[in-house]
Amino acid sequence: MASENRTVLVTGGGGLVGKAVKHCIEQLGEHREGETWIFCTSKDGDLNDLESTRALFAKYKPTHVLHLAALVGGLYANMARNLDFFRVNMQINDNVLRVAHETDVNKVVSCLSSCIFPDDITYPIDETSLHMGPPHDSNFGYSYAKRMVEVLNRGYNEQHGRQFVSVIPTNVYGPNDNFHLHNSHVIPGLIHKIYLRKQDPEKYPFKVMGSGKPLRQFIFSHDLAKLMIWVVRDYFDKDPIILSVGEKAEISIRDAVKQICVGLDYPFEELEFDTSKADGQYKKTVSNEKLMKILPDFTFTPFDKAIKETCEWFVTNYDTCRK
Ligand code: NAP
Ligand code: GDP
């Protein structure tokens, strides 16, 4: 079905999720006639700055915005810089939603995260419990900033009749991730570390941080991208929606590391865990019931297949990838 003419501006278009959306639109057959997708990076405009945000919107005149830009990092980056994660994300989100309202954008889809839900909560978590208690201490800055997006959405929708909505993904991984050795999330961080150790074990010794016991629901970036494109086009609810694999697909960090070892052909038995390092939140199990009721036929890429693809992408793109 052809859409009316629309211009979708994707903020954070050069990041893990932004590049996955681009891949789906340009390579996986998700393109639709009448739609123009613009993928912008921080080089196109600093969203921390109001005037620069206004200039970006004036240049592209979007009818729709998929707002992915954020200061993002793994557990240890959050623990070290909670204030920065709060201030930067508050500023970016306020600027983007404010300018989207000023310029009459039809719809904004913003991105929250399952790690911002209350720490002390009954499982599985669903969309209704976002504000029902404090987040985990390790990432309070990022969590409160992201929770405020929902406050802004509600305000713009109630006061100005806007269609500003958010999606809530779980832990994402895939090609084009940030593979930095220290500031990254667990999957890209360990792909990089294990890759180096495989080249030269003496030069690159390391221990997997934490106990390996925490549980996570990992979603492949290409699956998440397809779901986000669907939300931009066809999700008209004002309440957020969790975008996640099911509860049965939740796995331990230890099992995720084992799968990375398979993907890189490295013996898992040679790795040790450093239990003196923080584990972060033990689990944050979410229900994807709302999503699966609307899209019962959606299938997620199996973890082993997607991890293999991510490892292969990293090895092939080692010289140029973000690290
Ligand atoms: P990412 O790879 O770090 O990408 C974020 C992008 O935001 C970067 O490409 C960056 O652009 C852009 N950005 C940051 N500050 C900016 C600024 N001041 N002005 C303009 N652009 C700016 O992160 P991601 O993993 O794709 O995350 C996308 C969204 O998903 C975020 O909202 C994140 O909170 C959410 N999310 C991520 C995960 C996860 O596991 N990764 C899980 C749940 C939710 P440059 O590269 O040009 O600097
Ligand atoms: P989280 O899901 O928001 O906590 O984000 P992460 O992707 O940072 O995952 C953190 C979990 O992976 C914790 O249990 C860490 O102890 C564990 N972990 C093990 N090694 C690493 C690593 O090299 N980097 C990161 N970020 N986490 C690691």
Side-chain angles (χ1 to χ4, degrees):
M1 187 180 70
S3 322
E4 77 272 26
N5 281 345
R6 40 171 83 160
T7 300
V8 187
L9 179 71
V10 182
T11 71
L16 164 66
V17 182
K19 284 252 174 96
V21 173
K22 192 168 197 274
H23 181 73
C24 285
I25 293 289
E26 294 177 0
Q27 314 286 330
L28 299 184
E30 290 281 342
H31 177 72
R32 274 192 197 167
E33 211 176 308
E35 281 183 355
T36 304
W37 289 72
I38 311 276
F39 296 89
C40 64
T41 73
S42 55
K43 289 200 184 81
D44 299 300
D46 179 5
L47 299 171
N48 237 311
D49 179 78
L50 181 58
E51 288 315 317
S52 160
T53 308
R54 284 187 171 131
L56 187 75
F57 277 64
K59 181 172 177 188
Y60 292 113
K61 300 184 176 45
T63 58
H64 293 65
V65 174
L66 176 55
H67 173 38
L68 305 175
L71 179 59
V72 181
L75 167 64
Y76 303 104
N78 274 273
M79 286 170 69
R81 296 175 58 203
N82 263 296
L83 177 64
D84 294 346
F85 276 87
F86 180 73
R87 295 194 66 227
V88 170
N89 286 315
M90 285 287 287
Q91 191 64 64
I92 290 177
N93 297 332
D94 190 43
N95 286 343
V96 168
L97 295 183
R98 173 178 174 169
V99 177
H101 170 59
E102 284 173 2
T103 56
D104 235 0
V105 167
N106 291 337
K107 181 172 181 178
V108 180
V109 177
S110 298
C111 196
L112 311 185
S113 166
S114 63
C115 65
I116 74 171
F117 279 111
D119 185 33
D120 186 8
I121 193 85
T122 48
Y123 298 102
I125 301 168
D126 70 19
E127 289 83 356
T128 61
S129 51
L130 200 61
H131 301 288
M132 290 182 176
H136 194 262
D137 279 343
S138 59
N139 65 351
F140 71 88
Y142 178 82
S143 299
Y144 279 117
K146 287 280 184 182
R147 285 184 187 191
M148 290 308 110
V149 172
E150 258 312 291
V151 176
L152 288 167
N153 283 349
R154 187 172 162 188
Y156 281 111
N157 294 343
E158 286 187 13
Q159 205 172 315
H160 297 293
R162 291 291 172 204
Q163 205 188 334
F164 291 0
V165 69
S166 35
V167 294
I168 313 178
T170 45
N171 294 57
V172 192
Y173 66 99
N176 298 295
D177 207 340
N178 166 18
F179 291 88
H180 193 274
L181 287 172
H182 306 297
N183 295 331
S184 55
H185 287 104
V186 57
I187 288 184
L190 285 172
I191 288 178
H192 192 175
K193 288 177 191 172
I194 295 169
Y195 170 83
L196 290 179
R197 169 128 154 203
K198 195 179 159 188
Q199 316 295 309
D200 189 343
E202 308 271 295
K203 193 170 168 196
Y204 299 110
F206 78 94
K207 289 184 180 174
V208 180
M209 293 194 280
S211 67
K213 290 180 184 160
L215 303 171
R216 297 289 182 267
Q217 284 157 295
F218 293 102
I219 181 167
F220 184 42
S221 58
H222 294 178
D223 294 343
L224 177 61
K226 286 179 196 161
L227 292 171
M228 284 187 166
I229 293 167
W230 164 73
V231 171
V232 169
R233 288 173 176 157
D234 295 320
Y235 179 79
F236 296 106
D237 198 334
K238 294 244 160 86
D239 294 325
I241 182 163
I242 289 171
L243 303 181
S244 172
V245 299
E247 291 153 66
K248 288 197 179 125
E250 185 175 57
I251 60 165
S252 68
I253 297 294
R254 187 182 175 82
D255 285 342
V257 179
K258 270 190 190 163
Q259 205 58 59
I260 294 169
C261 287
V262 173
L264 289 171
D265 193 20
Y266 185 82
F268 173 73
E269 305 69 46
E270 293 196 6
L271 296 179
E272 285 177 72
F273 286 76
D274 180 354
T275 53
S276 71
K277 295 288 191 302
D279 264 345
Q281 218 165 344
Y282 173 61
K283 65 178 193 167
K284 39 192 177 183
T285 321
V286 295
S287 161
N288 67 356
E289 197 181 324
K290 180 172 179 177
L291 172 69
M292 296 320 286
K293 268 194 183 144
I294 312 176
L295 294 183
D297 297 329
F298 189 84
T299 52
F300 293 92
T301 312
F303 188 63
D304 56 346
K305 184 168 180 282
I307 283 288
K308 180 97 187 135
E309 187 174 333
T310 307
C311 290
E312 284 171 2
W313 184 91
F314 175 74
V315 173
T316 308
N317 295 278
Y318 182 75
D319 291 338
T320 51
C321 72
R322 272 193 297 167
K323 56 183 189 310

PDB file of all heavy atoms in Angstrom, residues 184-196:
ATOM      1  N   SER A 184      31.024   0.294  26.088  1.00  0.00           N
ATOM      2  CA  SER A 184      29.977  -0.333  25.284  1.00  0.00           C
ATOM      3  C   SER A 184      29.075  -1.228  26.127  1.00  0.00           C
ATOM      4  O   SER A 184      29.308  -1.444  27.310  1.00  0.00           O
ATOM      5  CB  SER A 184      30.643  -1.172  24.205  1.00  0.00           C
ATOM      6  OG  SER A 184      31.537  -2.069  24.823  1.00  0.00           O
ATOM      7  N   HIS A 185      28.047  -1.772  25.471  1.00  0.00           N
ATOM      8  CA  HIS A 185      27.211  -2.795  26.101  1.00  0.00           C
ATOM      9  C   HIS A 185      27.934  -4.144  26.072  1.00  0.00           C
ATOM     10  O   HIS A 185      28.949  -4.298  25.386  1.00  0.00           O
ATOM     11  CB  HIS A 185      25.868  -2.898  25.366  1.00  0.00           C
ATOM     12  CG  HIS A 185      24.961  -1.737  25.633  1.00  0.00           C
ATOM     13  ND1 HIS A 185      24.750  -0.719  24.725  1.00  0.00           N
ATOM     14  CD2 HIS A 185      24.221  -1.401  26.721  1.00  0.00           C
ATOM     15  CE1 HIS A 185      23.917   0.167  25.236  1.00  0.00           C
ATOM     16  NE2 HIS A 185      23.585  -0.205  26.452  1.00  0.00           N
ATOM     17  N   VAL A 186      27.351  -5.101  26.789  1.00  0.00           N
ATOM     18  CA  VAL A 186      28.059  -6.360  26.999  1.00  0.00           C
ATOM     19  C   VAL A 186      28.368  -7.108  25.693  1.00  0.00           C
ATOM     20  O   VAL A 186      29.502  -7.592  25.512  1.00  0.00           O
ATOM     21  CB  VAL A 186      27.297  -7.251  28.022  1.00  0.00           C
ATOM     22  CG1 VAL A 186      25.865  -7.532  27.597  1.00  0.00           C
ATOM     23  CG2 VAL A 186      28.038  -8.549  28.265  1.00  0.00           C
ATOM     24  N   ILE A 187      27.428  -7.204  24.764  1.00  0.00           N
ATOM     25  CA  ILE A 187      27.697  -8.010  23.561  1.00  0.00           C
ATOM     26  C   ILE A 187      28.800  -7.390  22.685  1.00  0.00           C
ATOM     27  O   ILE A 187      29.804  -8.058  22.411  1.00  0.00           O
ATOM     28  CB  ILE A 187      26.393  -8.297  22.775  1.00  0.00           C
ATOM     29  CG1 ILE A 187      25.570  -9.314  23.575  1.00  0.00           C
ATOM     30  CG2 ILE A 187      26.707  -8.820  21.362  1.00  0.00           C
ATOM     31  CD1 ILE A 187      24.308  -9.790  22.926  1.00  0.00           C
ATOM     32  N   PRO A 188      28.673  -6.128  22.267  1.00  0.00           N
ATOM     33  CA  PRO A 188      29.761  -5.585  21.430  1.00  0.00           C
ATOM     34  C   PRO A 188      31.085  -5.521  22.182  1.00  0.00           C
ATOM     35  O   PRO A 188      32.152  -5.772  21.595  1.00  0.00           O
ATOM     36  CB  PRO A 188      29.250  -4.187  21.051  1.00  0.00           C
ATOM     37  CG  PRO A 188      28.211  -3.856  22.074  1.00  0.00           C
ATOM     38  CD  PRO A 188      27.582  -5.156  22.436  1.00  0.00           C
ATOM     39  N   GLY A 189      31.049  -5.201  23.488  1.00  0.00           N
ATOM     40  CA  GLY A 189      32.281  -5.122  24.277  1.00  0.00           C
ATOM     41  C   GLY A 189      32.999  -6.461  24.285  1.00  0.00           C
ATOM     42  O   GLY A 189      34.220  -6.543  24.078  1.00  0.00           O
ATOM     43  N   LEU A 190      32.235  -7.533  24.502  1.00  0.00           N
ATOM     44  CA  LEU A 190      32.881  -8.848  24.587  1.00  0.00           C
ATOM     45  C   LEU A 190      33.265  -9.400  23.223  1.00  0.00           C
ATOM     46  O   LEU A 190      34.256 -10.129  23.099  1.00  0.00           O
ATOM     47  CB  LEU A 190      31.998  -9.820  25.365  1.00  0.00           C
ATOM     48  CG  LEU A 190      32.055  -9.527  26.869  1.00  0.00           C
ATOM     49  CD1 LEU A 190      31.043 -10.355  27.634  1.00  0.00           C
ATOM     50  CD2 LEU A 190      33.451  -9.787  27.421  1.00  0.00           C
ATOM     51  N   ILE A 191      32.526  -9.044  22.187  1.00  0.00           N
ATOM     52  CA  ILE A 191      32.950  -9.461  20.837  1.00  0.00           C
ATOM     53  C   ILE A 191      34.345  -8.887  20.578  1.00  0.00           C
ATOM     54  O   ILE A 191      35.260  -9.589  20.136  1.00  0.00           O
ATOM     55  CB  ILE A 191      31.939  -8.981  19.757  1.00  0.00           C
ATOM     56  CG1 ILE A 191      30.640  -9.792  19.843  1.00  0.00           C
ATOM     57  CG2 ILE A 191      32.553  -9.107  18.355  1.00  0.00           C
ATOM     58  CD1 ILE A 191      29.553  -9.374  18.866  1.00  0.00           C
ATOM     59  N   HIS A 192      34.519  -7.612  20.905  1.00  0.00           N
ATOM     60  CA  HIS A 192      35.817  -6.971  20.662  1.00  0.00           C
ATOM     61  C   HIS A 192      36.912  -7.611  21.524  1.00  0.00           C
ATOM     62  O   HIS A 192      38.004  -7.950  21.035  1.00  0.00           O
ATOM     63  CB  HIS A 192      35.681  -5.476  20.971  1.00  0.00           C
ATOM     64  CG  HIS A 192      36.853  -4.663  20.494  1.00  0.00           C
ATOM     65  ND1 HIS A 192      36.894  -3.297  20.572  1.00  0.00           N
ATOM     66  CD2 HIS A 192      38.044  -5.028  19.944  1.00  0.00           C
ATOM     67  CE1 HIS A 192      38.036  -2.864  20.076  1.00  0.00           C
ATOM     68  NE2 HIS A 192      38.752  -3.886  19.703  1.00  0.00           N
ATOM     69  N   LYS A 193      36.616  -7.810  22.815  1.00  0.00           N
ATOM     70  CA  LYS A 193      37.652  -8.352  23.709  1.00  0.00           C
ATOM     71  C   LYS A 193      38.052  -9.776  23.317  1.00  0.00           C
ATOM     72  O   LYS A 193      39.239 -10.126  23.321  1.00  0.00           O
ATOM     73  CB  LYS A 193      37.147  -8.349  25.156  1.00  0.00           C
ATOM     74  CG  LYS A 193      37.074  -6.945  25.757  1.00  0.00           C
ATOM     75  CD  LYS A 193      36.498  -7.010  27.172  1.00  0.00           C
ATOM     76  CE  LYS A 193      36.164  -5.619  27.673  1.00  0.00           C
ATOM     77  NZ  LYS A 193      35.434  -5.623  28.948  1.00  0.00           N
ATOM     78  N   ILE A 194      37.065 -10.592  22.996  1.00  0.00           N
ATOM     79  CA  ILE A 194      37.369 -11.985  22.647  1.00  0.00           C
ATOM     80  C   ILE A 194      38.116 -12.040  21.307  1.00  0.00           C
ATOM     81  O   ILE A 194      39.048 -12.838  21.133  1.00  0.00           O
ATOM     82  CB  ILE A 194      36.077 -12.846  22.628  1.00  0.00           C
ATOM     83  CG1 ILE A 194      35.494 -12.924  24.046  1.00  0.00           C
ATOM     84  CG2 ILE A 194      36.342 -14.254  22.087  1.00  0.00           C
ATOM     85  CD1 ILE A 194      34.098 -13.512  24.141  1.00  0.00           C
ATOM     86  N   TYR A 195      37.735 -11.163  20.410  1.00  0.00           N
ATOM     87  CA  TYR A 195      38.425 -11.082  19.101  1.00  0.00           C
ATOM     88  C   TYR A 195      39.918 -10.779  19.311  1.00  0.00           C
ATOM     89  O   TYR A 195      40.790 -11.448  18.740  1.00  0.00           O
ATOM     90  CB  TYR A 195      37.758 -10.001  18.250  1.00  0.00           C
ATOM     91  CG  TYR A 195      38.489  -9.651  16.987  1.00  0.00           C
ATOM     92  CD1 TYR A 195      38.336 -10.424  15.831  1.00  0.00           C
ATOM     93  CD2 TYR A 195      39.321  -8.528  16.921  1.00  0.00           C
ATOM     94  CE1 TYR A 195      38.999 -10.094  14.654  1.00  0.00           C
ATOM     95  CE2 TYR A 195      39.987  -8.200  15.752  1.00  0.00           C
ATOM     96  CZ  TYR A 195      39.827  -8.980  14.625  1.00  0.00           C
ATOM     97  OH  TYR A 195      40.486  -8.646  13.475  1.00  0.00           O
ATOM     98  N   LEU A 196      40.217  -9.782  20.158  1.00  0.00           N
ATOM     99  CA  LEU A 196      41.622  -9.417  20.398  1.00  0.00           C
ATOM    100  C   LEU A 196      42.362 -10.547  21.088  1.00  0.00           C
ATOM    101  O   LEU A 196      43.504 -10.869  20.754  1.00  0.00           O
ATOM    102  CB  LEU A 196      41.691  -8.143  21.261  1.00  0.00           C
ATOM    103  CG  LEU A 196      41.245  -6.840  20.594  1.00  0.00           C
ATOM    104  CD1 LEU A 196      41.335  -5.675  21.583  1.00  0.00           C
ATOM    105  CD2 LEU A 196      42.092  -6.541  19.356  1.00  0.00           C
TER     106      LEU A 196
END
